[in-house]
Amino acid sequence: MADEIAIGIDLGTSYSCVSILQDGQPVVIPNEWGETTHASVVSLLEDGTVLVGNAAKKNIITNAENTVYSAKRLIGRYFFSDEVKKAQAVMPYRIVEGENNSVRIQVRNRTYALPEISALVLKEMRAIAEAHLGRPVSSAVITVPAYFNDNQRQATKDAGRIAGLEVLRIINEPTAAALAYGFGRDVNQKVAIYDLGGGTFDVSILEIGKDVFEVLATAGDTYLGGDDFDDRIMSWLAEDFLQKTGLDLRQNKYCLQMLKEAAEKAKIDVGQAGIAEIHCAGICQDAHGKVMDLRQVLTQDQFNRMVMDLVQRTFKVCDEALQSARLTAAEVDAVILVGGPTRLPLIKNSVRHYFQKEPMEGINPDQVVAMGAALQAGALLDAATETFLVDVTPLSLRIGTVGGYTERIIDKNTPVPIDKSKTFTTSRDGQEKVKIRVYQGESNRADECELLGEFEFSGFRIGYRGEVKIDVTFEINTDGIVNVSATDQETGQRTSTTISLSSGLSEAEIQRSMEANRHVHLAGHPNARAGAPGLP
């Protein structure tokens, strides 16, 4: 096993990163142009080749309808969810409905499931690692936001499989960051990981003691990230332009995309220099065909006022995590910032004010998650590794009951892996099947929770109502993925369970996607193909 190699992949909303253990140290792997972070963007070209990463990002404007970005915001979601509706309004690519309320993306007359798009990003990360190592890589640890639910975790795992990787484990991004922070230090601390990415916000409170990393609590918001900061700048620019010219740039997806690029750059500039000069040449034409430019200046104060409520929202989540961990902000020994947006002075100052201490310096917020994933990958391959990781389930697991209500089975922030059994009885005479709906969420109302799936059990003894007792065991594994089994108490017969996750891919679809993925030609990887046998 010592000869085996496993990589750690931070599969981000905006950017992804890949790392590996070299001589016992986590190292972030650059591509052949020396880039260590890679845009999570997939551009499907006319000749059938696929561009992934920073080169693909350039196509967001020039080839907008065939270039997919921010796929992570949609993975594992239902078509009717708010996040999908929001994406449909602003994304230049086509988001369509698939079977069972699933989300699909239509590009060049082909429909892709979200795990297939994410698999292309993962395949690129794998190719970068193979080019660097000169040998094939088949195993990985992939990170997800701590607040991802079962559907989103399962879909991410499917993406890994489609990319030809054995996914050793799915781990939470803040937990990975803590592993990287605690690695090689003999610390005994309670740490808060404040993780603000492109599309999601998570906070986790961990206790680190000699080689043991225990997550005490986690909380998050999967609708909050750097993209939302960009949206505020975009709206401000569009409103100003509308007032000055009478033209609404938001009506045209091409103009909207130029605005988005300008907004992202302005956010970075204002963070670094305290002021941003925004210039979009030829953003549109007026009614007479005259080409219009957009010029504007954004100051630090304007930006801070624009996004302050978003920053405050992150601290509501911090309150929740600290409450679950039964700690105050002052009792936290160290605060680690993760994610590009945490470079903004506004975030750093607000975090300092909230936790009453300086956030840790010298930790690269873009790379720390991938490095933690590589450490976990190494630990899983090496039986001699002492590191022990105890994570928690971010959401309560519930069962649907009569009248549209739910009953809690496993509490949120329960250490995983865990299994818990509950006894159910038949509700009518001669019943042959029991149907149980499983939810994740914190409400006792079913419509306010996320439906994970419907489980149907059959094969038990048929008897009178209430006479047949069935033990249903709910198990959450180390990936945070839910499994269910059932046993007839009387006969000991384990019943068959079928789960239909609405947005999930069937095994047959995954196999088809894996086969298709093998034949995808990634542009710009001469080294990967030459050096690593087994790549297409």
Side-chain angles (χ1 to χ4, degrees):
M1 264 201 124
D3 201 33
E4 243 187 281
I5 289 186
I7 52 178
I9 300 175
D10 172 8
L11 178 62
T13 307
S14 308
Y15 288 91
S16 293
C17 185
V18 59
S19 176
I20 192 159
L21 276 191
Q22 283 186 337
D23 302 322
Q25 297 291 323
V27 177
V28 170
I29 301 175
N31 62 12
E32 49 257 59
W33 298 281
E35 298 161 333
T36 52
T37 53
H38 318 279
S40 302
V41 180
V42 173
S43 188
L44 297 118
L45 309 182
E46 215 169 335
D47 64 0
T49 58
V50 178
L51 267 183
V52 182
N54 302 329
K57 193 177 181 189
K58 295 176 184 144
N59 281 10
I60 288 176
I61 289 179
T62 55
N63 189 8
E65 61 278 9
N66 300 312
T67 302
V68 184
Y69 58 94
S70 291
K72 185 172 165 180
R73 280 192 169 228
L74 303 174
I75 199 165
R77 292 195 188 273
Y78 292 97
F79 187 72
F80 52 73
S81 73
D82 291 342
E83 187 65 26
V84 174
K85 289 191 187 106
K86 184 180 161 192
Q88 278 181 305
V90 298
M91 295 303 186
Y93 52 83
R94 285 196 64 199
I95 298 167
V96 298
E97 186 170 5
E99 284 174 39
N100 303 323
N101 304 310
S102 63
V103 182
R104 297 285 188 265
I105 290 173
Q106 200 167 341
V107 185
R108 298 198 183 278
N109 303 320
R110 197 191 139 188
T111 305
Y112 293 85
L114 266 305
E116 292 181 285
I117 297 291
S118 289
L120 292 167
V121 177
L122 293 171
K123 186 181 171 105
E124 174 78 2
M125 296 307 104
R126 179 186 169 189
I128 288 167
E130 291 183 326
H132 177 80
L133 294 163
R135 56 176 285 188
V137 169
S138 57
S139 305
V141 167
I142 302 172
T143 63
V144 293
Y147 228 58
F148 256 22
N149 65 34
D150 184 81
N151 288 349
Q152 293 166 305
R153 286 166 193 273
Q154 194 68 61
T156 304
K157 200 164 190 183
D158 291 347
R161 286 183 62 200
I162 293 166
L165 290 164
E166 182 195 348
V167 182
L168 299 176
R169 189 168 294 178
I170 297 283
I171 67 167
N172 293 333
E173 290 158 8
T175 310
L179 282 172
Y181 163 73
F183 176 70
R185 300 177 179 213
D186 195 7
V187 293
N188 206 321
Q189 292 182 332
K190 290 182 176 69
V191 300
I193 312 285
Y194 180 102
D195 182 355
L196 183 63
T200 56
F201 173 70
D202 282 320
V203 63
S204 289
I205 314 293
L206 291 98
E207 187 156 11
I208 304 176
K210 185 159 172 58
D211 301 327
V212 177
F213 293 75
E214 185 178 358
V215 181
L216 302 177
T218 193
D221 186 336
T222 54
Y223 292 80
L224 177 62
D227 291 355
D228 299 289
F229 288 62
D230 300 347
D231 289 349
R232 292 292 170 84
I233 302 174
M234 282 169 70
S235 298
W236 172 69
L237 290 172
E239 284 295 332
D240 182 68
F241 196 80
L242 180 62
Q243 280 174 8
K244 287 176 181 167
T245 65
L247 299 171
D248 189 351
L249 296 169
R250 287 165 293 200
Q251 299 306 310
N252 178 312
K253 285 190 174 173
Y254 176 81
C255 301
L256 201 63
Q257 199 47 55
M258 279 185 81
L259 265 187
K260 182 162 177 58
E261 286 231 323
E264 190 185 349
K265 184 177 183 305
K267 175 185 71 180
I268 293 165
D269 289 350
V270 90
Q272 288 174 345
I275 193 161
E277 293 190 10
I278 302 161
H279 180 212
C280 297
I283 194 163
C284 69
Q285 293 180 340
D286 67 8
H288 308 293
K290 183 187 169 201
V291 175
M292 313 280 283
D293 290 354
L294 180 149
R295 285 184 186 276
Q296 190 52 272
V297 174
L298 177 65
T299 66
Q300 185 92 55
D301 283 351
Q302 283 172 305
F303 174 70
N304 290 358
R305 283 198 300 274
M306 217 179 267
V307 300
M308 200 59 204
D309 63 307
L310 296 173
V311 179
Q312 293 301 344
R313 264 173 66 191
T314 70
F315 295 117
K316 283 199 179 77
V317 178
C318 291
D319 288 345
E320 196 187 313
L322 285 166
Q323 212 173 342
S324 287
R326 295 186 173 82
L327 291 172
T328 64
E331 289 172 303
V332 171
D333 299 309
V335 184
I336 297 151
L337 300 178
V338 179
T342 62
R343 287 195 165 90
L344 293 168
L346 172 65
I347 301 286
K348 282 187 178 170
N349 294 337
S350 302
V351 168
R352 183 187 301 114
H353 181 75
Y354 178 87
F355 285 100
Q356 298 293 298
K357 56 183 63 67
E358 286 290 331
M360 294 297 296
E361 290 290 329
I363 295 170
N364 185 320
D366 297 323
Q367 299 181 357
V368 64
V369 169
M371 289 164 75
L375 284 165
Q376 180 63 14
L380 291 171
L381 287 185
D382 182 2
T385 304
E386 299 285 301
T387 307
F388 189 63
L389 179 61
V390 184
D391 218 326
V392 296
T393 176
L395 299 155
S396 299
L397 194 64
R398 296 171 170 271
I399 288 294
T401 55
V402 180
Y405 288 92
T406 66
E407 185 183 328
R408 192 165 56 208
I409 305 292
I410 296 175
D411 287 341
K412 71 172 183 176
N413 288 321
T414 299
V416 292
I418 183 172
D419 57 70
K420 211 162 188 183
S421 296
K422 195 160 180 70
T423 303
F424 292 89
T425 60
T426 48
S427 55
R428 58 179 188 275
D429 294 348
Q431 194 170 338
E432 292 180 13
K433 289 179 185 165
V434 179
K435 186 177 261 190
I436 295 165
R437 308 192 87 182
V438 176
Y439 296 88
Q440 260 178 329
E442 304 318 313
S443 173
N444 64 354
R445 292 189 53 82
D447 57 8
E448 290 172 6
C449 293
E450 177 92 7
L451 175 68
L452 290 187
E454 294 184 336
F455 299 84
E456 208 170 69
F457 302 120
S458 56
F460 47 80
R461 180 174 74 80
I462 295 168
Y464 293 112
R465 183 180 79 164
E467 193 182 87
V468 181
K469 290 188 168 54
I470 297 158
D471 287 336
V472 182
T473 301
F474 299 87
E475 178 203 341
I476 303 178
N477 67 14
T478 47
D479 294 327
I481 292 173
V482 180
N483 298 301
V484 179
S485 61
T487 313
D488 180 343
Q489 263 190 14
E490 192 177 323
T491 62
Q493 151 114 18
R494 278 173 74 84
T495 62
S496 59
T497 68
T498 58
I499 174 169
S500 54
L501 289 177
S502 82
S503 55
L505 295 173
S506 68
E507 186 56 34
E509 286 173 313
I510 290 171
Q511 293 296 338
R512 271 201 303 277
S513 298
M514 284 167 78
E515 188 51 41
N517 190 281
R518 279 190 200 105
H519 302 294
V520 169
H521 177 70
L522 290 182
H525 273 291
N527 301 6
R529 276 190 298 282
L535 271 181

